[in-house]
Amino acid sequence: GLLGIKEIVENSGLNVEIIQGGWNCIDEYGDERTRFAHNRDAQGTAYAAAIMSVMQSNGVDASLNYDLACGSQYSNLLDWFSEIQKPFYALKAYKKLYDLGQEVESKGYGVYITAARKEGKAAIWVTNYDEKVTRCEILCKNFGPCKASFYTLDETRNLELTREEIYDADGVLAVQLRGYAAVLIELEAV
């Protein structure tokens, strides 16, 4: 997997790029009708969100989302009619982190987490790739008082604003995630 490859590359002294050649949420044991069933649902969306965090934390330089051809059974971003599918919103949320530019150290236990910041702004992307509901407490250090906006991506919501709160310096953000869900928390200094 990715974890072992990064170590091998770092230990080799070679200057090479790590490229993830394709990823998708496919049931290897399903028949032709059910094999790709999760590709566009909440499970496939949580998979897309989680894999982005895994690749970020493991030094992947580039990634391919296997097949974007409209209507392809592999495509999880567009359907036959070029309509946006739920996993698209996982990539949209990740772009918010990318636009901030400076990755922030983040560790998750039982969830996938990636964070970034820029002058007076930050974002945290938390994903639950499990069917069970989970509760997270996120300690934000060295940011100061802020307004936190929570955008939820789950089986019924597509990065919809679900709550806003004001936090003191070094606050703890509490989040409860449904099974196969993610939340983007945008922070803005106040």
Side-chain angles (χ1 to χ4, degrees):
L2 293 174
L3 302 176
I5 292 171
K6 183 176 184 206
E7 276 183 23
I8 292 168
V9 170
E10 286 176 353
N11 293 334
S12 73
L14 298 173
N15 184 18
V16 297
E17 289 185 329
I18 298 175
I19 300 172
Q20 174 63 31
W23 52 270
N24 238 319
C25 187
I26 298 172
D27 179 2
E28 294 178 35
Y29 305 105
D31 64 29
E32 286 303 312
R33 287 177 296 157
T34 63
R35 203 170 174 194
F36 304 95
H38 295 301
N39 232 9
R40 297 178 185 97
D41 67 10
Q43 183 176 342
T45 302
Y47 182 85
I51 199 71
M52 297 297 286
S53 289
V54 167
M55 288 188 288
Q56 177 66 35
S57 65
N58 287 286
V60 174
D61 296 301
S63 170
L64 305 172
N65 186 311
Y66 196 89
D67 182 357
L68 291 180
C70 294
S72 163
Q73 59 189 355
Y74 292 103
S75 177
N76 62 348
L77 302 180
L78 302 171
D79 70 4
W80 281 101
F81 307 103
S82 298
E83 303 236 349
I84 292 172
Q85 300 299 294
K86 191 170 284 292
F88 167 84
Y89 296 97
L91 276 66
K92 183 176 179 180
Y94 190 80
K95 183 172 183 327
K96 298 252 184 189
L97 295 163
Y98 179 83
D99 289 344
L100 290 173
Q102 180 185 353
E103 184 177 6
V104 176
E105 181 182 352
S106 52
K107 295 178 184 171
Y109 303 98
V111 295
Y112 297 89
I113 186 165
T114 304
R117 72 181 297 168
K118 183 180 186 173
E119 298 173 20
K121 292 185 178 185
I124 305 162
W125 182 229
V126 183
T127 304
N128 178 20
Y129 186 64
D130 192 312
E131 63 189 38
K132 299 178 209 135
V133 173
T134 190
R135 179 175 164 76
C136 307
E137 291 185 350
I138 303 162
L139 175 60
C140 293
K141 291 179 155 184
N142 305 319
F143 193 75
C146 64
K147 173 182 160 188
S149 301
F150 296 76
Y151 296 88
T152 302
L153 177 58
D154 60 19
E155 73 179 48
T156 61
R157 295 173 283 206
N158 294 330
L159 279 183
E160 294 170 25
L161 179 65
T162 50
R163 83 178 204 247
E164 291 182 320
E165 295 182 18
I166 302 295
Y167 289 90
D168 294 330
D170 292 345
V172 174
L173 309 174
V175 178
Q176 182 163 311
L177 292 164
R178 290 180 179 177
Y180 302 121
V183 65
L184 175 68
I185 307 164
E186 291 185 324
L187 306 176
E188 188 168 353
V190 291

